[in-house]
Amino acid sequence: ADDDDDVARTPTKEPPPSSSGKWEEKWNANFNELLAYKHENGDYQVPSASKLGTWVTHQRNKRKTEKLSAEHFTRLEEVGFDWTRRDLGAKKKWKSRFLQLEDYKR
């Protein structure tokens, strides 16, 4: 049976032809920063409010919309990048505020 969800997540498109060597250098610099973050923190849960967090979110979104190049997808996969998890700090903050609201309503 075909699973449309898997098809939608398979990277197929390459970066636009206007991409330059500088664009690739910037991607590589962010990738290396991501590896350093993983080394220091043990995971890829980069805070979304940071510059690196914005880049991480962009990579996840590009994968979802099939705009992430196969090469970049492979490189991220090889280092065990987590495609599904998001900023856990935001979830914790939301839950904390929700619990405060529940307490207030009582």
Side-chain angles (χ1 to χ4, degrees), residues 88-101:
L88 297 177
K91 287 182 181 180
K92 288 179 184 176
K93 184 176 180 180
W94 186 93
K95 183 163 182 133
S96 171
R97 299 294 284 166
F98 181 77
L99 292 173
Q100 287 175 349
L101 176 62

Side-chain angles (χ1 to χ4, degrees), residues 74-89:
T74 299
R75 289 181 66 193
L76 289 164
E77 279 284 298
E78 286 175 348
V79 298
F81 182 71
D82 186 346
W83 295 102
T84 57
R85 294 183 68 197
R86 301 291 178 198
D87 185 9
L88 297 177

